[in-house]
């Protein structure tokens, strides 16, 4: 047993991972005309081994930006919908109250005492004797006399 484990009882031995090795970069030989122009005997350039990493990183970053923008637009739309819903509920409450007020006003106008007062204002007089018309026979039931 190692002394490091004796001092730290929480630390447990784990699997030993091999050290990470960098990807090999293969030198690409240049053309002989380039070697003469550069003045070196063995002019080499590094192959674009990092290009796929940069491209993949750009794609991931672009995707993350698209997700953030979509989330922002959805949040704005949801908030706008919530405000619109609250506005429509308030309008519905106001219209419901107006309907209730108008229904009560109609019921008060349809009350018998109000109808009698309006009829008297128009010059109508109440009749003491009632007369009815039978719709089947066309006969008048009761005494039909003009009102005074």
């Amino acid at each position: 047993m190692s002394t490091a484990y004796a001092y730290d009882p929480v630390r447990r031995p784990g699997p030993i991972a091999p050290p990470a090795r960098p990807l090999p970069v293969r030198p690409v030989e240049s053309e002989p005309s380039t070697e003469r122009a550069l003045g070196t005997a063995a002019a080499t350039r590094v192959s674009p081994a990092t290009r796929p990493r940069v491209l993949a990183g750009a794609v991931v970053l672009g995707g993350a930006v698209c997700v953030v923008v979509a989330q922002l637009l959805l949040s704005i739309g949801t908030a706008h919908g919530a405000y619109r819903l609250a506005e429509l509920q308030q309008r519905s409450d106001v219209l419901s109250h107006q309907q209730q007020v108008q229904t009560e006003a109609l019921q008060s106008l349809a009350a018998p005492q109000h109808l009698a007062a309006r009829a008297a204002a128009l010059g109508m007089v109440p009749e003491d004797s009632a007369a009815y018309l039978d719709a089947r026979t066309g006969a008048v039931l009761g005494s039909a006399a003009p009102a005074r």
Side-chain angles (χ1 to χ4, degrees), residues 4-83:
Y5 297 121
Y7 292 121
D8 190 5
V10 177
R11 190 171 166 190
R12 304 275 191 265
I16 299 173
R21 292 186 300 170
L23 293 175
V25 177
R26 292 178 292 160
V28 178
E29 305 248 347
S30 62
E31 297 178 9
S33 63
T34 312
E35 289 176 8
R36 279 185 234 129
L38 293 174
T40 60
T44 59
R45 60 182 174 151
V46 177
S47 69
T50 59
R51 184 173 290 164
R53 288 185 187 173
V54 171
L55 182 64
V59 167
V60 169
L61 184 63
V65 167
C66 288
V67 167
V68 168
V69 168
Q71 180 67 30
L72 182 63
L73 291 176
L74 286 174
S75 296
I76 289 171
T78 302
H80 177 70
Y83 285 123

Side-chain angles (χ1 to χ4, degrees), residues 60-139:
V60 169
L61 184 63
V65 167
C66 288
V67 167
V68 168
V69 168
Q71 180 67 30
L72 182 63
L73 291 176
L74 286 174
S75 296
I76 289 171
T78 302
H80 177 70
Y83 285 123
R84 179 77 173 139
L85 181 63
E87 177 186 338
L88 290 175
Q89 285 176 345
Q90 183 181 10
R91 185 173 176 197
S92 175
D93 291 343
V94 168
L95 291 175
S96 175
H97 179 69
Q98 286 178 354
Q99 180 184 11
Q100 184 179 4
V101 167
Q102 290 176 352
T103 301
E104 289 175 2
L106 180 63
Q107 287 175 350
S108 70
L109 290 175
Q113 67 270 14
H114 189 43
L115 288 177
R118 292 206 47 196
L122 290 173
M124 300 176 139
V125 292
E127 179 61 37
D128 293 333
S129 64
Y132 301 101
L133 181 63
D134 188 5
R136 287 188 204 147
T137 61

